[in-house]
Amino acid sequence: MIEQAMFDDAFLEKLRAAVSGAVLFDEPLSRYTSFGVGGKADAIIFPKNSEELSRAIACLGEEAVPFMPVGKGTNLIVRDGGYRGVVISLSGLHDLRIEEGVDGAVCIHAEAGAPLAYVVDLSLREGIAGMEFCAGIPGSVGGAVRMNAGAYGREIKDVVEKVAFITGKGEILEQDRGSLDFTYRRLALPPDLLILAAAFSLTRGDREEIRKKVEKILALRKEKHPLMYRNAGSIFKNPPGISAGRIIDETGLKGLQTGDARISEMHGNFIVNLGRAKAVDVLALIDTVKKRVFEERGIVLETEVCIIGEDR
Ligand code: EPU
């Protein structure tokens, strides 16, 4: 474990000078994920803007300290042994800005740590159409871009115009939609690129119509997803042409429980934390599902959630 005492003083001083927000050591990552499972990170830092983020990354890079960005932690399972290195919380980078275009075109610029819900709310208030499908997707802008989040027939890639990144050396660069390699629930990125902000290409629309669409989607999600429990959204990617939730349902695995983790009775592709679940419980359920689905249907399910960190 990299303990505070093991960072040399000069490095700690540089890191603290780089970031005006908190620098916490030995911090439980269960506090920073929607699932609420997982062990401690050696350190977590909270840069407040892109300059601080850039300085922090440069500083970590110089010392070859491993680091990992986290937005709202909604698609993340951290193993119980935690993360060896520094977690960078992007929660302090949450600015949004509207840029008017011509003929009703509008662009919303959003920093990576902004909740996607802020973008949906802003577009609703301002009568901007195009983000409705994101209503109820819990996560940050950066996470949604990284995972090419989607629902109801649309994906982030359909609305993204450009994405700004920070390199492992702390330099900022931008890429247009055309040069970004989006696939189902994934944006392929070199390991040293971190998403800093995204611009969404939208249009002026009728506020009442937008509100109706958003409300319809929120109601559908409430009806289908077990939102009363902590969860990480869909656990598995849908295999081509079929829903993982339906397969799991047909395999009779709904309601299966290990510790305080349970395969939701409401939707087969959700695992819920009934209160004190450990990552090991969730991972055991994931394994069981994969094995049973392969044995019974010959289908290899792939996880959609990111699984990181060390076993205890
Ligand atoms: N179904 C069952 N049993 C279940 C779950 C689903 O029979 O336990 C059936 C439903 O009745 C429906 C079909 O399977 O006929 C599809 O289900 P649903 O509409 O819930 O969609 P999904 O394919 O399970 C995908 C996304 C969701 C997104 C919805 C709506 C993936 C892995 N999941 O789910 O995204 O909200 O479509 O568009 O692509 C997420 O990524 O975290 C997520 C929730």
Side-chain angles (χ1 to χ4, degrees), residues 199-230:
F200 301 107
S201 173
L202 307 162
T203 53
R204 282 276 157 210
D206 178 76
R207 198 174 305 170
E208 196 48 29
E209 260 178 45
I210 297 166
R211 190 184 59 76
K212 278 193 195 139
K213 273 194 198 165
V214 164
E215 279 176 2
K216 193 171 156 200
I217 288 174
L218 289 177
L220 268 177
R221 293 184 81 97
K222 200 169 164 200
E223 183 193 316
K224 293 194 171 199
H225 298 165
L227 304 179
M228 61 298 268
Y229 294 111
R230 300 185 76 159

Side-chain angles (χ1 to χ4, degrees), residues 27-33 37-41 44 78 83 87 308:
E27 184 68 0
L29 289 176
S30 53
R31 293 184 187 157
Y32 303 93
T33 62
V37 301
K40 295 174 177 177
I44 179 166
V78 181
Y83 177 72
V87 170
I308 63 120

Side-chain angles (χ1 to χ4, degrees), residues 174-247:
E174 268 189 8
Q175 280 188 38
D176 290 332
R177 175 209 310 246
S179 62
L180 294 167
D181 185 10
F182 282 110
T183 49
Y184 168 59
R185 292 299 187 270
R186 199 85 193 142
L187 166 61
L189 279 184
D192 70 327
L193 280 195
L194 196 143
I195 296 165
L196 179 62
F200 301 107
S201 173
L202 307 162
T203 53
R204 282 276 157 210
D206 178 76
R207 198 174 305 170
E208 196 48 29
E209 260 178 45
I210 297 166
R211 190 184 59 76
K212 278 193 195 139
K213 273 194 198 165
V214 164
E215 279 176 2
K216 193 171 156 200
I217 288 174
L218 289 177
L220 268 177
R221 293 184 81 97
K222 200 169 164 200
E223 183 193 316
K224 293 194 171 199
H225 298 165
L227 304 179
M228 61 298 268
Y229 294 111
R230 300 185 76 159
N231 67 79
S234 296
I235 294 287
F236 299 101
K237 292 181 183 173
N238 283 343
I242 182 159
S243 150
R246 178 186 288 240
I247 300 172

